[in-house]
């Protein structure tokens, strides 16, 4: 089979869920084909690692240490692949490559221009990636909204890709918004029509249009859009608002998405959706219900903790329990954990909210509330233990107090020389060796495990011994035994923390073990005496 390309663009508004839409399409294709994603971002940062999560949402980390957009979480979870950082193209990356080539003299004295040089570079990147990964199908997500200046070169690139590979080997999906005006209760197609016009002005005719809407699109709506786009009304699909992103592949499939793709690309498609469906039903018919608190500082943007929410969703499906989240802002003085069944202290950076996180850990330790600490959460748990159990009252991390006399969490040796902020943390997948009789060993069911990391600071090896003497179990260490990867407490229903980010590898079919442990403990806490 010739390699196929599926391109998605967005119209009208940002935030319509292009990433989830293309990942869902990829899921339908992935039962028979090798599918890889390429996400194209228009910004000039090389990667999102240096961007504030409040502005940009969570930074997702890959096995290879790449810091990418949270859409990669959807790609990995829906396609069942391990993505790599080169699957994320940003204009920052494109321009630094073009500059390198120009300085090397690769352009042989030519004037280097946006079109064709930059757009050809992007087009060749798509083709080379397909070749390198031996992909049957390459998904290309073009970030932003059609008409945005910063994405124009990506659009030129896919236009020329289409000319090169031929109509039957590429399909263009366009996701746009269909508002319903309250006063008239009518589905309005004008914004979508205009975004289709913008696409067509750039030489691209969409093959399939997904109309994001709070209701099923009516036949009349479909016909209006179809006339405008010059396609069949059957090629218009409702991107229905749903309460659960995992329903999207099913929503698409129930409207014949895979048949549409099969027809356009002239291939066979046989989606496997029964197990997926089962998982969703399991969550929907859940009778038990628990509350898990996420005690962090970026609580005003839930996207900052997207993968943690996902990992909890996966547990919810696996264990058939409804999980209600309670976001706690630890930079506020007063917060109440009395009604919760479990607490997560997530990753974070800087000073704000740290004392509140330490208080939250203390509350969980003393009141035997199931607790999971992630990255900064582990560091906070260590500081709490040092202060309140080991009585090292001024214990802190040098991230908060650089002059601290008892830096129980300190900058890693290799980090002390680093001045650049982008891409310089301890990033990506690292192994840990788990203690045989520990809770984490029981959860992972093996001795050597791999999880993803994103941090600069570490538990200071000078204090390992005193912690162990006072009862903190260092239940997982780096193979050279210098770095603490997991800690836990005995005589507590579930007090576990890790320096890693296990939420990043969780999926619907394989929830992250540490999250399963937390949720099981929370269920037990709530229901054991009832
Ligand atoms: N700020 C801490 C560090 O750099 C923790 C980072 C995190 O939680 N991802 O080590």
């Amino acid at each position: 089979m010739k390699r196929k390309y599926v391109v998605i663009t967005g119209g009208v508004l940002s935030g319509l869920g292009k990433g989830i839409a293309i990942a869902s399409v990829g899921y339908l294709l992935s039962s028979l084909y090798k599918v890889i994603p390429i996400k194209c971002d228009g910004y000039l940062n090389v990667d999102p690692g240096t961007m504030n999560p409040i502005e940009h949402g969570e930074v997702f980390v890959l096995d290879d240490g790449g810091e990418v957009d949270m859409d990669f979480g959807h790609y990995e979870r829906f396609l069942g692949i391990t993505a790599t950082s080169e699957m994320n193209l940003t204009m920052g990356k494109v321009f630094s490559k073009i500059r390198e080539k120009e300085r090397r003299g690769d352009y042989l004295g030519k004037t280097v221009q946006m079109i064709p040089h930059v757009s050809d570079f992007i087009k060749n990147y798509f083709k080379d990636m397909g070749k390198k990964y031996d992909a049957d199908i390459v998904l290309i997500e073009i970030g932003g909204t059609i008409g945005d200046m910063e994405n124009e070169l990506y659009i030129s690139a896919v236009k020329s890709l289409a000319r090169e590979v031929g109509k039957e080997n590429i399909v263009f999906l366009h996701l746009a918004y269909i508002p319903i005006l309250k006063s008239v209760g009518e589905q309005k197609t004008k914004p979508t029509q205009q975004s289709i016009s913008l696409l067509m002005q750039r030489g691209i005719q969409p093959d399939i249009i997904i109309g994001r809407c709070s209701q099923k699109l009516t036949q009349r709506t479909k016909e209006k859009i179809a006339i405008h786009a010059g396609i069949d009304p059957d090629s218009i699909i409702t991107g229905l608002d749903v309460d659960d992103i995992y329903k999207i592949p099913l929503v698409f499939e129930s409207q014949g998405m895979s048949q549409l793709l099969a027809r356009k690309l002239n291939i066979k498609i046989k989606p496997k959706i029964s197990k997926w469906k089962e998982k969703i039903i399991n969550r929907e018919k859940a009778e038990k219900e628990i509350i898990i608190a996420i005690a962090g500082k970026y609580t005003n943007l839930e996207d900052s903790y997207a993968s943690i929410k996902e990992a909890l969703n996966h547990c919810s499906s696996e264990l058939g329990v409804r999980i209600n989240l309670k976001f706690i802002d630890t930079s506020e003085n007063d917060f109440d954990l009395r009604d919760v069944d479990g607490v997560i202290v997530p990753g974070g950076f800087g000073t704000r909210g740290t004392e509140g996180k330490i208080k939250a850990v203390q509350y969980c330790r003393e009141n035997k509330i199931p607790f999971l600490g992630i990255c900064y959460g582990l560091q906070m748990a260590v500081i709490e233990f040092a202060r309140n159990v080991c009585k090292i009252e001024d214990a802190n991390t040098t991230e908060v107090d650089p002059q601290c006399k008892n830096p129980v969490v300190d900058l890693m040796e290799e980090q002390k020389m680093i001045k650049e902020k982008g891409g310089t943390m301890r990033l990506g997948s690292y192994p840990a060796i788990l203690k045989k009789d520990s809770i984490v060993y029981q959860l992972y069911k093996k001795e050597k495990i791999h999880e993803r990391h994103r941090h600069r600071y570490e538990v200071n090896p000078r204090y390992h011994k005193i912690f162990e003497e006072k009862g903190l179990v260092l239940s997982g260490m780096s193979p050279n035994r210098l770095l603490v990867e997991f800690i836990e407490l005995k005589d507590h229903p579930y007090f576990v923390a890790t320096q890693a980010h296990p939420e990043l590898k969780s999926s619907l079919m394989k929830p992250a073990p540490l999250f399963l442990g937390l949720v099981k403990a929370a269920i037990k806490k709530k229901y054991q005496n009832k």
Side-chain angles (χ1 to χ4, degrees):
M1 175 180 114
K2 260 196 134 173
R3 182 164 300 123
K4 310 282 176 179
Y5 297 85
V6 180
V7 180
I8 190 163
T9 52
V12 185
L13 295 179
S14 63
L16 291 180
K18 264 192 311 275
I20 292 166
I22 190 81
S24 300
V25 166
Y27 173 74
L28 299 174
L29 296 166
S30 65
S31 62
L32 288 185
Y33 301 104
K34 176 156 190 206
V35 183
I36 64 157
I38 302 178
K39 165 99 200 274
C40 304
D41 288 308
Y43 49 75
L44 293 178
N45 306 61
V46 170
D47 60 43
T50 50
M51 293 189 221
N52 181 344
I54 294 209
E55 227 173 83
H56 193 74
E58 170 192 76
V59 175
F60 195 80
V61 183
L62 301 175
D63 265 6
D64 68 9
E67 294 176 286
V68 290
D69 197 274
M70 47 188 250
D71 272 340
F72 275 86
H74 303 132
Y75 296 144
E76 289 200 327
R77 292 176 200 119
F78 281 63
L79 303 178
I81 56 158
T82 300
T84 59
S85 27
E86 56 187 358
M87 293 175 183
N88 188 197
L89 197 56
T90 66
M91 283 319 277
K93 268 187 203 170
V94 171
F95 285 130
S96 51
K97 284 279 189 294
I98 296 280
R99 212 190 96 90
E100 256 171 49
K101 277 160 74 83
E102 191 275 334
R103 290 292 85 183
R104 246 191 347 245
D106 289 4
Y107 292 105
L108 306 171
K110 288 236 170 65
T111 308
V112 184
Q113 293 181 304
M114 294 293 186
I115 297 174
H117 298 102
V118 182
S119 57
D120 274 356
F121 172 87
I122 298 171
K123 176 188 69 187
N124 291 331
Y125 194 91
F126 296 150
K127 290 190 343 198
D128 292 346
M129 287 289 285
K131 227 182 276 163
K132 179 168 176 186
Y133 288 88
D134 196 23
D136 299 315
I137 299 172
V138 180
L139 309 175
I140 300 173
E141 177 186 347
I142 300 183
T145 307
I146 188 75
D148 290 349
M149 191 219 257
E150 54 181 24
N151 294 309
E152 296 287 8
L153 290 164
Y154 292 128
I155 300 285
S156 303
V158 287
K159 182 173 71 181
S160 93
L161 180 70
R163 209 185 46 218
E164 213 173 296
V165 300
K167 248 327 220 162
E168 68 287 6
N169 295 316
I170 190 163
V171 51
F172 288 103
L173 269 77
H174 185 62
L175 171 65
Y177 183 54
I178 314 281
I180 297 177
L181 264 196
K182 253 208 187 131
S183 52
V184 281
E186 192 188 332
Q187 299 177 357
K188 290 295 193 187
T189 58
K190 189 72 77 193
T192 294
Q193 289 180 27
Q194 289 182 341
S195 80
I196 294 167
S197 297
L198 288 173
L199 205 58
M200 303 232 264
Q201 279 162 24
R202 287 160 178 77
I204 291 175
Q205 181 176 31
D207 297 294
I208 298 173
I209 292 169
I210 305 170
R212 173 79 191 261
C213 189
S214 57
Q215 293 172 357
K216 273 188 103 167
L217 300 185
T218 61
Q219 196 54 29
R220 197 175 121 82
T221 300
K222 288 188 182 180
E223 264 154 28
K224 274 186 167 174
I225 301 171
I227 291 171
H228 204 82
I231 56 176
D232 213 60
D234 291 348
S235 303
I236 316 234
I237 299 248
T238 310
L240 196 64
D241 288 355
V242 284
D243 53 353
D244 174 357
I245 56 169
Y246 293 94
K247 288 183 185 162
I248 300 288
L250 309 177
V251 167
F252 285 177
E253 196 45 20
S254 67
Q255 299 175 72
M257 177 67 98
S258 60
Q259 275 153 302
L260 269 181
L261 290 164
R263 209 167 56 223
K264 307 253 169 195
L265 294 171
N266 197 17
I267 53 174
K268 273 204 193 85
I269 303 179
K270 242 201 197 151
K272 280 198 202 123
I273 53 173
S274 56
K275 266 218 175 116
W276 190 272
K277 215 174 185 167
E278 237 170 65
K279 288 272 190 177
I280 293 168
I281 294 172
N282 210 13
R283 187 186 313 163
E284 298 231 297
K285 60 170 209 247
E287 282 171 5
K288 291 188 173 148
E289 196 165 353
I290 54 167
I291 303 176
I292 299 281
I294 299 184
K297 78 168 172 181
Y298 296 120
T299 38
N300 44 349
L301 183 81
E302 294 189 14
D303 266 4
S304 327
Y305 301 122
S307 292
I308 290 182
K309 282 169 55 188
E310 282 298 304
L312 289 170
N313 265 341
H314 305 148
C315 295
S316 166
S317 287
E318 177 77 19
L319 303 171
V321 59
R322 189 175 299 278
I323 302 179
N324 300 311
L325 296 182
K326 179 171 179 178
F327 284 93
I328 304 267
D329 188 347
T330 54
S331 50
E332 306 277 319
N333 270 334
D334 276 332
F335 53 80
D336 191 355
L337 291 173
R338 278 174 305 185
D339 59 340
V340 308
D341 306 302
V343 174
I344 294 175
V345 175
F349 293 85
T351 304
R352 190 164 60 82
T354 48
E355 287 303 320
K357 287 182 188 173
I358 294 169
K359 255 206 298 195
V361 178
Q362 183 178 6
Y363 182 83
C364 293
R365 186 177 55 76
E366 292 179 347
N367 295 288
K368 308 243 186 265
I369 311 292
F371 161 79
L372 174 61
I374 295 172
C375 204
Y376 217 15
L378 172 136
Q379 298 172 1
M380 296 297 121
V382 164
I383 296 169
E384 193 279 323
F385 189 83
R387 287 185 190 170
N388 300 322
V389 180
C390 307
K391 303 292 174 208
I392 310 173
E393 270 151 33
D394 59 350
N396 213 334
T397 162
T398 47
E399 180 168 355
V400 171
D401 178 6
Q403 309 311 330
C404 172
K405 294 273 180 322
N406 278 298
V408 292
V409 175
D410 196 8
L411 212 52
M412 285 183 270
E413 252 340 287
E414 63 269 28
Q415 285 287 336
K416 291 190 176 154
M417 313 300 292
I418 295 175
K419 294 266 174 312
E420 274 193 18
K421 282 267 183 276
T424 55
M425 285 187 250
R426 181 170 180 250
L427 285 167
S429 177
Y430 284 95
I433 309 295
L434 307 183
K435 240 191 195 138
K436 272 276 169 59
D437 52 359
S438 61
I439 301 173
V440 291
Y441 180 82
Q442 280 164 23
L443 289 168
Y444 280 95
K445 299 189 178 68
K446 54 183 179 184
E447 205 178 346
K448 185 171 187 184
I449 62 104
H450 290 81
E451 290 288 7
R452 295 178 181 174
H453 293 68
R454 182 171 190 256
H455 63 123
R456 287 184 207 285
Y457 294 80
E458 265 299 336
V459 179
N460 189 337
R462 260 176 40 213
Y463 297 86
H464 289 180
K465 198 154 159 257
I466 164 155
F467 290 153
E468 288 190 294
E469 281 166 9
K470 294 282 181 192
L472 187 70
V473 183
L474 308 184
S475 48
M477 302 290 287
S478 60
N480 65 5
R481 297 205 52 80
L482 283 178
L483 308 179
V484 173
E485 294 283 6
F486 294 86
I487 60 167
E488 60 194 51
L489 285 179
K490 293 204 172 105
D491 305 323
H492 189 288
Y494 191 82
F495 189 103
V496 173
T498 174
Q499 189 56 74
H501 287 276
E503 70 277 19
L504 300 178
K505 289 212 303 194
S506 187
S507 67
L508 190 61
M509 295 300 164
K510 236 175 138 200
L514 293 196
F515 283 83
L516 277 177
L518 174 78
V519 173
K520 279 185 189 159
I523 296 174
K524 205 163 158 197
K525 172 187 173 290
K526 174 149 183 199
Y527 290 96
Q528 72 183 354
N529 299 323
K530 294 196 176 145

